[in-house]
Amino acid sequence: MKKKFFLLALCLLSGIGAYAQSRGNEIGFKSDNDSFLGQGSDRYYTNGFFLNYRHAIDGAKLKSNMANAVFGLELGQKIYNAQSGQLPSAAEVDRPFAGYLYLGASANILYKNETTVKLGARVGVVGPAAGGYAVQKLIHNTFGFYELNSWQYQVRNAPQLNLSAEVNKLLARSSWADLTFSGYVNTGTGFNAAGVGPMIRLGNFNQLFQSVSTQSTVSKNANAGLLHKNEVFFYYKPQINAVLYDATVQGNIFKDHPEPGTQEIVGDINHLVFSNQLGVAFTTSRFVFDIGAVINTREVKQMVKSTHQWGSVTVLYRFN
């Protein structure tokens, strides 16, 4: 009897272990804020919050050249200030205030040769309906920050439908470092841009088909043959961006600017923006963490500051 009980317990424990190994789903959040860098700034892209859910496609349904495929949903909001949220006059507004609220879906196809293609679509709104002022006011009131007085200078409401494509391709790898080409294209009613650049990783990283770097830490493919059980690595991603249109700066793409009878202040975008992203990513058996910083050159010609930067924290939980 004891022997049978022991075998039953062993089977149950084995089942629990197998269950723990399955990481087909992932849920979590990403938070961006310029205050994360401890500089006391509250300008330009000042806050972003995103809720994510990702689901891996069954490995048995993948084509022979595919290592992984991930479907994702995202609810996000971005908030933009001028050089401050408290300004004495419209003359001090060097970048329009704006909120951007959206719901997005994505399909991330990851190949065995470590080429990845991620396609996405987002629907949402830019302007007062995005709730940027309400959220920033709540944050300032909660933490005792200064009183906002300049949100009357935000862009007007504009519905959004935007599409995106992102490509990554491994170029070279050693045991502790690798180099990847990365590029993207955005197009739609609010955001039209493209960018390219390298991504450098140093440390214990996994292949691009199941890594923090490509938002593909979930998988139902048991034979992935990963380089490491858990990832712990530093990354650096410089990028050059060509920007054609940005609704958070220029407002509704279908209307003349500034719109008659409004206090809208419309900025003049820089069509060439350089970006530097760096950080540390690591995973456990269930959790994914990514802590980084982004530094951009001036995105609007009127900006008083030549660069702006923010910190980013991502926390995800994987489950079956």
Side-chain angles (χ1 to χ4, degrees), residues 222-236:
N223 300 313
L226 299 179
L227 298 175
H228 299 280
K229 181 178 179 181
N230 295 313
E231 292 186 299
V232 183
F233 63 88
F234 168 83
Y235 62 87
Y236 173 55

Side-chain angles (χ1 to χ4, degrees), residues 20-23 25-26 204 206 210-212 217-218 226 228-233 281-290 314-319:
Q21 293 297 321
S22 179
R23 304 181 183 96
N25 297 279
E26 183 175 73
N204 292 344
N206 278 327
Q210 194 173 335
S211 175
V212 179
T217 47
V218 290
L226 299 179
H228 299 280
K229 181 178 179 181
N230 295 313
E231 292 186 299
V232 183
F233 63 88
F282 57 99
T283 66
T284 69
S285 61
R286 289 295 180 182
F287 285 94
V288 178
F289 301 93
D290 188 346
T314 299
V315 180
L316 301 165
Y317 176 73
R318 293 179 286 175
F319 63 98

